[in-house]
Amino acid sequence: MAENAHELAPHHLPPFIPGADGSDWLFSVMLVVLIIGAILAGVFYLHLHSIPERLAHKHGRMQFELVAILGLLALFTHNNIFWVAALLLAFIQLPDFWTPLESMAHSLSRLAGTGGIPSDTLVEKDFEQEEVAAQDGTTVTDATRDEASAKRAAPAVSPAGTQESKHV
């Protein structure tokens, strides 16, 4: 290149000036650095967004799903309040509300005379009564259901004629 250069041109050109053939090695290096930097920034962003979900794994399934939904909302809407709420929820252990409610429901069903039978079993019994009634050609009304439940809940009568209560 030095023999074709103009006589007024400097003899030594700095390395950042591209050659006459159009090759620019600095542009190529910066292009690779920018592509790798963008990929690494995206991986860091997604890793940062998954922190609440990874923290919520040690809690229950319901809490994990709630944190995951808040994280997705924050990711897609770019509202950081959802991410902060997910992070706070991941650090807090939610109390178990289901066990006391289930215990109350079981106790109430025992008091109602169903003997602690789950409600789906009672529904199956109602379907069986309706099928038997359909085969007999009769209809099952609420009154016949109430009579059947009253028979189940009726106090037992002893041979002496005194009534004994089922409930203690």
Side-chain angles (χ1 to χ4, degrees), residues 44-153:
F44 176 71
Y45 180 73
L46 292 176
H47 181 74
L48 188 66
H49 248 281
S50 69
I51 286 174
E53 292 175 32
R54 286 185 278 125
L55 289 173
H57 268 290
K58 61 185 171 192
H59 300 300
R61 179 176 179 251
M62 183 63 73
Q63 186 171 357
F64 171 72
E65 288 180 358
L66 186 60
V67 168
I69 288 171
L70 284 172
L72 284 175
L73 278 173
L75 183 66
F76 292 129
T77 62
H78 300 291
N79 288 334
N80 293 334
I81 192 68
F82 292 127
W83 188 83
V84 171
L87 188 63
L88 290 175
L89 191 59
F91 277 116
I92 297 171
Q93 175 68 37
L94 291 179
D96 181 20
F97 292 114
W98 189 251
T99 303
L101 289 174
E102 196 172 62
S103 174
M104 285 188 271
H106 182 71
S107 297
L108 286 172
S109 69
R110 280 194 353 224
L111 284 174
T114 59
I117 299 172
S119 61
D120 54 346
T121 307
L122 293 175
V123 171
E124 289 174 7
K125 287 183 181 180
D126 287 342
F127 284 140
E128 289 173 4
Q129 286 178 355
E130 289 175 2
E131 287 176 0
V132 169
Q135 290 173 355
D136 294 343
T138 60
T139 59
V140 177
T141 61
D142 288 336
T144 56
R145 284 192 191 118
D146 291 340
E147 289 173 11
S149 64
K151 287 179 184 176
R152 285 194 306 259

